[in-house]
Amino acid sequence: MRLNVINSFCLILFSAITLQGCSQNTKTDSKYNYQSIDNGPFSVKTYTLKNGLKVFLVPRDDKPLIQTRIIVKAGSNQEPDDARGLAHYLEHLLFNGTSKIGAFNFEKEAPLLERIESLYEMHRKTSSKTDKLKIYKKIDSLSFEASKYSRQNEYSDLMIEMGITFLNAFTNSHITGYMNGIPSNQLEKWLTLESERFRNPVFRGFHTELETVFEEMNARSENGYQRALAKLQDITFSSDHYKSPIGTVEGLKNPSLTETKKFYNTYYVPNNMAIILVGDFNADEAIGLIEKNFSWMQPKELPKKKKLASPILQTTIKDSIVTPENPSLAMFFVQEAANTEEAVMAEFVEMLFLNGYLGIADIGQTKANTNWFNTRPETHYEEFTTHYFEGEPKDISLKELEEIVLNDIERLKTGNFPDWLLEAVANDLNKRFLSIATSNSGIMYILQEAYTTDIPLDDYFLKQEKFHGITKAQVMEFAKKYYKHYSIVYKKQGPNNFKKLSKPSITALSSQNNSKNSAFGKKIKSIESKPILPKLLDFDKDIKTFSINHGTTVNYVENKDNDLFNLRLIFDKPNEDNKELKIASNYLKLAGTNKFDANEFKEELYKIGTEYNLVTNDYGTTLYINGLSKNLEKSITLLKHLLLNLKVDKAVFETIVKAEISKIENQKSNKGQLFNRTLDYVSYGSQNYQKDILTKNDLENLNVEKIVEKVSNLFDYGFDIYFYGAKNKDEITSIFNKINLDKPSQTNIAKNHTKQRKVFLKNNVFLVNTEGKQIDIAFTTNLSKFNKKNDILYVLFNDYLSTMVNERIRETKGLAYSAFSKMAYPNYANELYGHYTKLGTQTDKFSEALKINHDLIENMPIEASVFSTVKSRRQAILDAQRIVNNAALYHYEKSLNRGLNYDYRKHYFEVLSDLTLDDFEEFYKTYIKNSIYNLIIIGDTSQIDKDELSNYGEIIELSKEELFGN
């Protein structure tokens, strides 16, 4: 027992978090009576409008950006049983405008929308399939006519033009959230637009949104792990306790706009909503704008909720499904609601059981008998929480793995774990909380969780202190009470026999208004915003650079916010070491040293709050170390010892090899992994691709002695140090020199070994056959080398084409459930740009989607309105962008790798404001239009007309063996 070390860590952490007991006060130096909560790592001002709308404000001036969220306390659980899925529909529809947003002639549009609504009611009440199709055809026809009087994507375009960095929404069982990231000078515009968004929403384009939700259902049904979780939820909970946000097949087939409107009118009321702002704003100004824009909302009495007890399981429930992936299991233990004292214990016990270091499952039999194993506490329910387990067995059956998990859970009940682990887990939870609370997005998450789980914020903060009072006896008592019974789904291996949700064909919406703005859109654009002056990194001032003992360069930024540090050692190692070092990361965690066995070493790190990872990729090998700055010297000393004194353990290595081979086999049936592998194969060519992938044959022939040797030799090469932490230059120098971190390099290795993209001379079509009802399509190409003057034009091109692809394939035609463009930007001066578009579609829409995507690349329409929108957005993003803290070091490194000794964004500002539509068109014609694009198709190729595909290039069928090796 080394409680002196642990208690020292605890005191440091609490000093950083400043948990000093409950502290609430009322703001008196303002005309607004805020309730201020100051007992956490950040201060929160709360305010309630007269209509009941709750407001949470966290002003922070480190960046001229604001994270925003509008939360409605209603989700799938509030849906009527005969109209499942409507909360999720509604979330989608609230992007489609109102009687003002996106409306050009609402007087003519409104009667058509009313007829569409009544036809949907006829449709859901009709049992005849023939009649349903006739009604839907009429809905489709009227939807096209209605679209002539509106512009469905005006809301999104107005947001984009503001320079938003994030635009999304989500629905779960009891809340719906609308999320944005905006430049701070756009707050008035944003609030004006959001106010109108919720004032009189118009549910236009409903059938195209249904198309998207249909495909979400199909995608989830095709994913074995999501199917297992869905089945687990079905067998565990009644519909009173939980309804799936995606809805049911029956609900999707019989949607109701009338019921959706009722839901909106019932729950989207101010006394059931909250606005959360985190970022750079003045609190009084923000509240003034919120009152101005949201006081129109009228409160309503909410439906009374049923008082339900937590559905604690009284018996064990078992079921199974069959999918193509490797067998795995999914389990639930059900516990009390998130706003109870028991939930604090539940969070603690989950971390005690599995934390990635020294949890009971980490050092017990569970991890040793799985290829992968995860647990998580789930709080996104109202009356209960769950402890969710999932894992894939290694050389044992699912039933055997289940018993092993239960045996490790038994250790919770009997207290079969070391006493010191309790305090270490409390420290770990505190550190993770502190890490989350340092970013705007993390603060937003904390506020959302507190609000939606009905936990007072001061209690939410004080929870971190409660972890330190938990005793072994309490853990044992809790485990005996809540880990008696469980539900489990065995995911067995076999053909995927789910039935794809078929959909009627739809007509593309009219695009005649796509370049126009409504009167309201013009009003939004006319709101003046105070300019934000851009700020580039000044490498001389913002990045401190110096050398230690033997000339190793240290680049550092001081952390002035808390006691955390991030350290990177980037080694100048030759690329031929890649395959051995790629497996080394896993080996390090299991092998131990000449002084510590693996668990003893983990214990040493866990006690001082240190984490690490050794990562090898195409650009080299990097050692990442994160922890508390106070323990920097101990952390580096331990990690240096590990690398230099790694033990040869053939049994451990054989275990890792088996797990990696199993992982490869599992990836062969994962469509996402297939796409990533195929994209790399095509982008780099087969020879370059094969150099860096670990195949089954590679794994079986790797020599553990050689791996240990290569790890221990890493310090023989030169390396650069990037450090972010609460230390000054003298302290860093003293520590690094004291532990003799560097030594004279034993060999001269050129830096910046990069894997070059292949230049194709003709078009090819790469087919990868895999089971599934959906098809992924990608057009991909490699372009020119890094160009500092043109770099911003590549950025604009990607923004522009992504807008086009999404609008013309997904939104107006419903031909894909996902559609986007992505540019791979060079990390080094001698690298090429890479580009691809990707669509997720289905067989019946495959040909049309493919043709439109190809035409958009070959003959991209150059439209002034789209160019103006993407240019304005990019300018706003750049003006508001502040690269600070640890991110500054990554940005600095990238600039240097590109051959620049200054912030590479300098050229963006020199060029962007003066760029014209003619400049953009010339760039497209010169650098993009005539590029050779290869086509990638992943899906059931037996359903595809190969003669049609030959029009796009020579067909090359890739086997999984070519992608994953033998």
Side-chain angles (χ1 to χ4, degrees):
M1 294 176 64
R2 295 172 183 161
L3 292 178
N4 58 324
V5 175
I6 295 171
N7 288 334
S8 172
F9 171 51
C10 177
L11 288 172
I12 298 159
L13 190 57
F14 279 145
S15 174
I17 298 182
T18 64
L19 296 178
Q20 300 169 349
C22 175
S23 172
Q24 292 191 13
N25 56 76
T26 300
K27 177 100 171 158
T28 57
D29 59 343
S30 166
K31 67 178 182 178
Y32 299 103
N33 293 322
Y34 302 114
Q35 183 185 52
S36 295
I37 301 163
D38 304 310
N39 65 321
F42 53 87
S43 295
V44 185
K45 299 178 189 298
T46 66
Y47 187 81
T48 305
L49 269 60
K50 291 179 182 179
N51 59 14
L53 180 68
K54 196 83 172 173
V55 182
F56 297 84
L57 303 176
V58 182
R60 302 176 84 227
D61 60 1
D62 58 337
K63 302 176 184 178
L65 295 167
I66 305 172
Q67 288 279 330
T68 76
R69 198 154 296 186
I70 297 179
I71 302 294
V72 184
K73 281 192 175 182
S76 55
N77 274 17
Q78 284 69 45
E79 297 168 353
D81 286 334
D82 62 348
R84 295 284 301 277
L86 64 80
H88 186 210
Y89 293 156
L90 178 57
E91 172 217 310
H92 282 246
L93 289 168
L94 283 171
F95 285 83
N96 290 358
T98 69
S99 57
K100 292 183 179 179
I101 302 172
F104 292 90
N105 191 333
F106 190 63
E107 291 73 18
K108 290 188 176 181
E109 183 190 15
L112 295 170
L113 296 177
E114 289 175 7
R115 290 176 61 191
I116 290 168
E117 180 181 341
S118 64
L119 285 169
Y120 270 113
E121 292 307 299
M122 289 176 57
H123 178 271
R124 72 194 298 250
K125 293 173 183 176
T126 301
S127 57
S128 166
K129 290 184 179 179
T130 302
D131 289 344
K132 278 181 176 291
L133 285 173
K134 288 180 180 177
I135 294 170
Y136 205 89
K137 189 173 182 181
K138 184 62 176 174
I139 289 172
D140 181 58
S141 174
L142 287 172
S143 296
F144 176 75
E145 287 302 311
S147 69
K148 293 178 180 178
Y149 304 110
S150 65
R151 179 183 167 199
Q152 191 165 311
N153 62 345
E154 185 181 40
Y155 167 82
S156 298
D157 281 354
L158 288 170
M159 294 291 277
I160 288 168
E161 197 164 340
M162 285 184 208
I164 62 159
T165 57
F166 191 63
L167 174 63
N168 212 334
F170 66 89
T171 304
N172 67 28
S173 62
H174 63 290
I175 64 168
T176 306
Y178 300 87
M179 308 175 287
N180 294 134
I182 63 171
S184 57
N185 65 341
Q186 300 296 321
L187 183 59
E188 182 179 1
K189 276 188 183 181
W190 178 78
L191 285 168
T192 305
L193 184 58
E194 288 301 279
S195 169
E196 177 58 30
R197 179 193 202 182
F198 292 101
R199 188 186 298 270
N200 185 22
V202 173
F203 298 160
R204 54 174 66 97
F206 187 40
H207 66 325
T208 59
E209 294 304 332
L210 279 175
E211 179 83 8
T212 302
V213 177
F214 276 33
E215 285 311 314
E216 283 189 49
M217 171 71 87
N218 284 333
R220 293 186 186 201
S221 299
E222 198 170 73
N223 183 299
Y225 302 100
Q226 290 189 359
R227 281 184 61 200
L229 176 58
K231 171 64 76 172
L232 189 64
Q233 290 164 331
D234 286 345
I235 67 173
T236 307
F237 312 119
S238 71
S239 62
D240 285 336
H241 281 105
Y242 177 75
K243 296 174 183 175
S244 171
I246 195 67
T248 62
V249 171
E250 192 61 28
L252 290 174
K253 287 181 177 178
N254 298 284
S256 171
L257 275 172
T258 299
E259 290 297 329
T260 304
K261 282 184 176 180
K262 287 181 183 177
F263 184 91
Y264 175 83
N265 291 328
T266 300
Y267 292 105
Y268 279 63
V269 293
N271 48 311
N272 197 43
M273 297 172 67
I275 294 177
I276 307 174
L277 301 180
V278 182
D280 184 19
F281 58 87
N282 175 278
D284 284 1
E285 289 178 7
I287 284 294
L289 288 169
I290 291 170
E291 283 193 324
K292 174 184 174 183
N293 285 286
F294 283 87
S295 292
W296 64 265
M297 298 184 86
Q298 296 299 309
K300 293 181 183 178
E301 184 176 350
L302 294 163
K304 289 185 178 179
K305 292 182 180 179
K306 295 181 184 177
K307 289 188 177 181
L308 300 171
S310 297
I312 308 300
L313 293 171
Q314 302 302 313
T315 185
T316 294
I317 307 168
K318 301 186 178 186
D319 210 328
S320 63
I321 62 170
V322 176
T323 77
E325 299 100 340
N326 284 359
S328 65
L329 57 76
M331 303 172 66
F332 267 154
F333 287 88
V334 183
Q335 297 150 351
E336 303 294 343
N339 58 358
T340 62
E341 285 298 315
E342 286 89 346
V344 177
M345 182 67 74
E347 187 176 347
F348 184 90
V349 169
E350 190 275 337
M351 183 68 79
L352 178 66
F353 188 78
L354 185 78
N355 52 54
Y357 293 92
L358 285 170
I360 288 171
D362 294 300
I363 59 178
Q365 289 299 304
T366 299
K367 286 293 284 288
N369 286 278
T370 55
N371 292 319
W372 55 264
F373 185 73
N374 301 310
T375 78
R376 64 176 180 264
E378 295 192 330
T379 60
H380 53 268
Y381 308 100
E382 286 184 282
E383 292 88 11
F384 61 96
T385 60
T386 64
H387 189 171
Y388 174 66
F389 299 71
E390 61 178 355
E392 179 184 302
K394 177 171 62 184
D395 301 326
I396 58 174
S397 69
L398 290 171
K399 294 279 179 79
E400 288 172 317
L401 176 57
E402 176 188 0
E403 286 302 314
I404 288 169
V405 173
L406 294 175
N407 288 339
D408 275 343
I409 288 173
E410 194 65 25
R411 294 174 61 193
L412 288 171
K413 299 177 183 179
T414 60
N416 184 14
F417 52 86
D419 291 343
W420 65 261
L421 189 55
L422 293 168
E423 191 66 17
V425 165
N427 292 333
D428 195 2
L429 284 162
N430 292 162
K431 191 183 77 168
R432 295 182 191 218
F433 178 76
L434 177 61
S435 182
I436 292 171
T438 58
S439 69
N440 288 358
S441 57
I443 292 171
M444 180 66 73
Y445 170 79
I446 290 169
L447 294 176
Q448 175 186 300
E449 285 295 291
Y451 172 67
T452 58
T453 54
D454 294 318
I455 300 176
L457 263 174
D458 51 349
D459 288 351
Y460 197 93
F461 291 148
L462 287 172
K463 177 175 66 171
Q464 300 302 314
E465 189 172 336
K466 291 178 181 179
F467 291 137
H468 292 273
I470 292 174
T471 66
K472 181 178 283 191
Q474 289 175 311
V475 170
M476 293 165 61
E477 181 184 357
F478 181 86
K480 289 172 184 176
K481 181 177 180 180
Y482 291 106
Y483 289 84
K484 284 182 182 178
H485 301 292
Y486 58 94
S487 53
I488 186 168
V489 170
Y490 307 104
K491 184 170 71 64
K492 300 177 180 179
Q493 193 167 29
N496 201 340
N497 56 4
F498 86 92
K499 291 184 179 179
K500 183 174 180 287
L501 190 61
S502 59
K503 311 166 295 301
S505 59
I506 64 175
T507 303
L509 298 177
S510 171
S511 59
Q512 69 185 44
N513 298 315
N514 281 4
S515 61
K516 303 176 185 176
N517 278 115
S518 66
F520 184 82
K522 292 173 183 176
K523 174 186 171 183
I524 290 292
K525 288 188 171 189
S526 70
I527 296 174
E528 291 188 8
S529 302
K530 183 179 179 180
I532 295 175
L533 296 177
K535 184 178 180 181
L536 296 172
L537 276 178
D538 183 332
F539 290 172
D540 292 331
K541 293 180 181 179
D542 299 326
I543 311 293
K544 307 302 180 187
T545 301
F546 59 92
S547 297
I548 54 175
N549 277 337
H550 299 290
T552 294
T553 300
V554 178
N555 309 284
Y556 93 99
V557 172
E558 187 173 354
N559 179 0
K560 298 179 181 179
D561 296 328
N562 54 52
D563 194 50
L564 300 178
F565 79 82
N566 301 92
L567 173 67
R568 288 183 291 141
L569 273 61
I570 303 175
F571 296 96
D572 303 332
K573 58 150 218 69
N575 274 9
E576 56 265 24
D577 286 353
N578 275 8
K579 293 201 174 185
E580 285 84 1
L581 287 173
K582 276 189 174 180
I583 200 72
S585 181
N586 292 342
Y587 185 76
L588 285 170
K589 304 245 169 90
L590 296 175
T593 73
N594 58 6
K595 183 178 177 182
F596 305 101
D597 69 26
N599 285 338
E600 288 171 340
F601 189 78
K602 288 178 182 178
E603 180 180 330
E604 293 298 314
L605 289 180
Y606 199 55
K607 284 178 178 178
I608 62 173
T610 300
E611 303 170 72
Y612 79 95
N613 201 12
L614 185 72
V615 175
T616 296
N617 56 29
D618 301 334
Y619 297 103
T621 294
T622 301
L623 176 64
Y624 297 84
I625 311 175
N626 304 315
L628 288 166
S629 295
K630 174 179 176 62
N631 295 327
L632 176 64
E633 182 179 336
K634 293 178 185 177
S635 301
I636 300 174
T637 301
L638 280 169
L639 268 302
K640 185 179 178 184
H641 167 77
L642 176 66
L643 267 61
L644 293 178
N645 299 280
L646 193 59
K647 185 170 59 178
V648 172
D649 190 325
K650 292 185 178 180
V652 164
F653 186 66
E654 287 175 7
T655 299
I656 292 171
V657 167
K658 284 184 180 179
E660 288 299 309
I661 290 173
S662 177
K663 181 180 174 182
I664 289 171
E665 289 303 311
N666 202 26
Q667 287 175 341
K668 290 180 181 179
S669 58
N670 183 298
K671 190 181 277 188
Q673 288 289 338
L674 282 171
F675 175 77
N676 291 336
R677 294 255 182 169
T678 307
L679 183 63
D680 273 358
Y681 183 98
V682 174
S683 297
Y684 294 102
S686 58
Q687 289 185 337
N688 276 337
Y689 172 77
Q690 293 291 341
K691 287 179 183 177
D692 287 303
I693 66 164
L694 272 170
T695 67
K696 178 183 178 183
N697 187 57
D698 289 331
L699 288 163
E700 290 174 339
N701 287 287
L702 286 176
N703 181 291
V704 65
E705 288 89 353
K706 190 174 181 181
I707 289 171
V708 169
E709 179 186 2
K710 287 187 178 295
V711 170
S712 65
N713 288 340
L714 279 173
F715 284 100
D716 290 341
Y717 302 109
F719 56 89
D720 290 326
I721 296 174
Y722 289 84
F723 177 78
Y724 172 69
K727 297 285 183 186
N728 60 39
K729 176 184 174 181
D730 291 340
E731 291 171 320
I732 297 167
T733 303
S734 175
I735 290 172
F736 287 176
N737 286 340
K738 180 179 177 182
I739 59 181
N740 196 26
L741 185 58
D742 66 336
K743 61 180 181 178
S745 179
Q746 302 298 302
T747 182
N748 291 320
I749 298 294
K751 293 184 180 182
N752 303 347
H753 294 268
T754 61
K755 186 169 71 174
Q756 288 298 334
R757 293 175 174 272
K758 182 175 180 178
V759 177
F760 283 87
L761 301 177
K762 61 184 181 65
N763 302 101
N764 299 286
V765 178
F766 294 90
L767 296 182
V768 180
N769 185 53
T770 191
E771 183 180 336
K773 304 291 194 278
Q774 296 173 322
I775 298 173
D776 285 344
I777 302 170
F779 282 99
T780 182
T781 189
N782 293 325
L783 301 164
S784 61
K785 286 185 179 180
F786 170 70
N787 183 308
K788 62 186 181 183
K789 295 292 187 183
N790 280 348
D791 199 43
I792 187 60
L793 281 158
Y794 283 103
V795 173
L796 287 178
F797 164 73
N798 187 56
D799 291 348
Y800 186 98
L801 186 59
S802 199
T803 300
M804 283 283 182
V805 167
N806 185 56
E807 177 189 297
R808 304 205 175 190
I809 296 178
R810 181 183 180 273
E811 290 186 357
T812 61
K813 292 180 177 291
L815 295 175
Y817 56 91
S818 66
F820 61 88
S821 164
K822 187 169 183 179
M823 186 73 68
Y825 299 96
N827 286 305
Y828 292 89
N830 64 337
E831 279 189 346
L832 304 178
Y833 292 89
H835 174 251
Y836 70 89
T837 59
K838 187 183 178 187
L839 309 180
T841 186
Q842 47 278 335
T843 307
D844 58 327
K845 299 175 184 290
F846 170 79
S847 295
E848 187 178 359
L850 185 65
K851 184 178 184 304
I852 295 173
N853 191 2
H854 181 261
D855 288 346
L856 282 174
I857 293 171
E858 288 283 302
N859 299 290
M860 188 174 74
I862 306 297
E863 297 181 1
S865 60
V866 179
F867 176 72
S868 175
T869 298
V870 298
K871 179 183 171 183
S872 296
R873 173 179 181 261
R874 186 54 56 179
Q875 185 75 62
I877 289 173
L878 288 168
D879 288 345
Q881 190 177 40
R882 298 293 183 268
I883 298 175
V884 297
N885 302 333
N886 199 29
L889 288 170
Y890 282 92
H891 193 80
Y892 172 69
E893 180 193 2
K894 186 171 182 177
S895 294
L896 294 185
N897 288 342
R898 286 177 158 192
L900 307 174
N901 60 0
Y902 50 84
D903 187 333
Y904 65 79
R905 294 173 301 157
K906 173 176 177 285
H907 298 289
Y908 293 3
F909 293 107
E910 290 174 347
V911 173
L912 183 56
S913 61
D914 294 329
L915 279 177
T916 66
L917 186 66
D918 289 341
D919 296 329
F920 181 69
E921 183 172 17
E922 182 63 28
F923 167 81
Y924 165 69
K925 289 178 178 178
T926 303
Y927 293 95
I928 309 292
K929 180 175 172 59
N930 297 316
S931 300
I932 293 174
Y933 274 82
N934 290 296
L935 173 60
I936 295 172
I937 296 174
I938 297 175
D940 184 354
T941 57
S942 67
Q943 303 297 310
I944 298 171
D945 183 353
K946 292 187 175 66
D947 289 338
E948 177 189 359
L949 289 183
S950 63
N951 296 323
Y952 296 94
E954 179 184 344
I955 294 177
I956 301 172
E957 299 196 37
L958 290 179
S959 67
K960 292 179 181 178
E961 287 68 34
E962 288 174 283
L963 296 175
F964 292 90
N966 296 314

